[in-house]
Amino acid sequence: MHADFDAFYASVEQRDFPELSDRPVAVGGSPSKRGVVASASYEARKYGIKSAMPMSTAVRKCSDVVVVSPRFSVYREVSRQVMEVFRDITPLVEPLSLDEAYLDVTDVIQQNVTPPQIAKKLKESISSDLGLTISIGVSTSKSVSKIASGINKPDGLTVVRPGDEISFLHPLPIEVVWGIGPKSSEKLHNLSINTVGDLSAQPIKVLSDIFGSNAMYIKNIANGVDLRPVITQRERKSISSETTLLVDTSDRGDLTEIVMRLSGQVADSLIQKDIRGRTVKLKLKRSNFTTLTRQKTLLEKVQISSEITESALELLNYELKNSDEKYRLIGVGVSGFSSAESLHDEMQLRFEGL
Ligand code: DCP
Ligand code: MG
Ligand code: MG
């Protein structure tokens, strides 16, 4: 199953401030400070307001929109609560972000308890315990479940039975496939590849031109073939967040702001998963598409945003000092979680200290 809260930040605000329920709500930065929309309530979406849109555009689209500043600590707490509700069903929970997770319920299925019933009960628990709605997709694989959870939002429950994967996927627009962003979607439409079915019928050569080494992965997903297991947090090797810039830049101020934002997202994820890491990594892709990564291993494990930001900015400044390149992609990551690894590091440090 894949479960994802509906209009997460906005719904939490509507829940906690009932005067906002039924109103168009946009959670995010202030329109006068070039803020962007993080989450739009479904009432706001009717006016075309969406995540990642400048808040000034949102206000232009609907002058009645209620702009609310995010309360991250509240969202983190709600996230912690929902992951607990998930883990009451199965320990095999893989959080993808604060508001969504994969659940492997294979072992929970019994003769009288079917996956759709598990999903229905889960939706009811979340509604009664947390006062929020979540949409769930149920299928035999991660990608089909994720797509299914997204297509009947809000408050959706979409079940794709074994054997129905292809008939479910093929009529859908290519944009539902994770990994097909605006750029590749435009290229595909130019080739008259509009549906997942069209995608699945392409020779691998065509897909390689667009997706490079991910072509086979995309083709398999389009054919409903996805064998990836649900991975619980403890097995994870690193957590990172990256973004491709709309316009390549060498501006230190812009790059700093992006590194801070990405560090915050990585911190959210670490806090969410209740883990700390010792190594902070910065990834930069230059305009000429060469990629470099710089990393720094710390004495203490880090988790919160300011700690990650500090190291990531140090790496960024080091890079900027030695180059005046423009950059097209930036990523921040944290790794080095395992206690075995840290024990090893600690021994080494003590050894060096002697
Ligand atoms: N988020 C953000 N910036 C984005 C996208 C999302 O800050 N560009 C935050 C706010 C969202 C939360 O992450 O509430 C969850 O993201 P989702 O993509 O799941 O979006 P929503 O839950 O808001 O809406 P939906 O009902 O489409 O899931
Ligand atoms: Mg959501
Ligand atoms: Mg989500």
Side-chain angles (χ1 to χ4, degrees), residues 8-242:
F8 180 43
Y9 294 1
S11 302
V12 172
E13 297 307 323
Q14 289 181 316
R15 177 194 73 175
D16 293 351
F17 302 94
E19 65 275 21
L20 298 181
S21 59
D22 306 327
R23 301 270 325 259
V25 172
V27 177
S30 142
S32 59
K33 292 187 188 150
R34 297 201 304 149
V36 294
V37 177
S39 174
S41 72
Y42 277 80
E43 294 80 7
R45 291 184 202 196
K46 287 188 201 135
Y47 296 89
I49 299 174
K50 314 189 247 200
S51 291
M53 169 182 280
M55 192 60 88
S56 52
T57 309
V59 173
R60 203 169 339 112
K61 284 185 180 282
C62 172
S63 56
D64 280 346
V65 69
V66 186
V67 178
V68 181
S69 293
R71 296 181 298 150
F72 294 112
S73 54
V74 177
Y75 311 143
R76 257 180 230 127
E77 176 57 18
V78 174
S79 177
R80 199 191 55 72
Q81 290 167 339
V82 80
M83 298 299 162
E84 229 164 67
V85 179
F86 293 159
R87 290 194 184 99
D88 281 345
I89 294 182
T90 170
L92 297 178
V93 174
E94 178 179 344
L96 291 181
S97 72
L98 284 186
D99 91 323
E100 67 191 280
Y102 290 117
L103 284 74
D104 184 339
V105 296
T106 313
D107 294 341
V108 185
I109 302 168
Q110 292 157 13
Q111 207 158 30
N112 297 318
V113 191
T114 64
Q117 285 167 337
I118 299 168
K120 196 152 172 282
K121 197 148 161 289
L122 180 57
K123 281 166 64 70
E124 285 162 9
S125 313
I126 289 168
S127 161
S128 62
D129 296 0
L130 300 181
L132 293 167
T133 63
I134 201 155
S135 292
I136 300 184
V138 184
S139 81
T140 54
S141 75
K142 276 184 165 179
S143 54
V144 174
S145 292
K146 182 156 165 80
I147 293 168
S149 80
I151 63 165
N152 283 319
K153 271 178 165 285
D155 204 11
L157 170 53
T158 306
V159 179
V160 180
R161 306 193 65 82
D164 290 349
E165 292 84 359
I166 296 226
S167 56
F168 166 75
L169 287 172
H170 281 192
L172 297 174
I174 48 176
E175 285 77 13
V176 300
V177 176
W178 196 87
I180 300 191
K183 278 188 193 146
S184 28
S185 115
E186 194 189 323
K187 287 186 202 159
L188 291 165
H189 287 302
N190 288 339
L191 297 168
S192 302
I193 302 167
N194 301 315
T195 65
V196 179
D198 296 340
L199 196 60
S200 76
Q202 297 308 310
I204 197 74
K205 169 81 184 66
V206 175
L207 299 180
S208 295
D209 289 345
I210 299 173
F211 300 107
S213 57
N214 291 326
M216 203 58 217
Y217 167 79
I218 297 278
K219 190 172 164 95
N220 280 335
I221 296 289
N223 280 311
V225 177
D226 177 7
L227 303 176
R228 292 172 302 157
V230 170
I231 301 174
T232 58
Q233 48 179 293
R234 278 160 209 87
E235 303 163 50
R236 211 174 262 278
K237 293 262 188 292
S238 81
I239 288 185
S240 61
S241 182
E242 62 180 48

Side-chain angles (χ1 to χ4, degrees), residues 9 36-38 51-52 72 76 79 95-99 236 238-244 256-275 303-309 312 330-334 337:
Y9 294 1
V36 294
V37 177
S51 291
F72 294 112
R76 257 180 230 127
S79 177
L96 291 181
S97 72
L98 284 186
D99 91 323
R236 211 174 262 278
S238 81
I239 288 185
S240 61
S241 182
E242 62 180 48
T243 185
T244 301
T256 300
E257 201 173 301
I258 294 162
V259 164
M260 290 172 75
R261 178 161 57 79
L262 294 172
S263 300
Q265 287 169 1
V266 172
D268 278 354
S269 204
L270 292 172
I271 292 166
Q272 165 57 44
K273 297 172 173 65
D274 196 21
I275 47 179
Q303 183 181 54
I304 63 173
S305 179
S306 58
E307 296 168 338
I308 300 167
T309 303
I330 303 179
V332 171
V334 169
F337 309 130

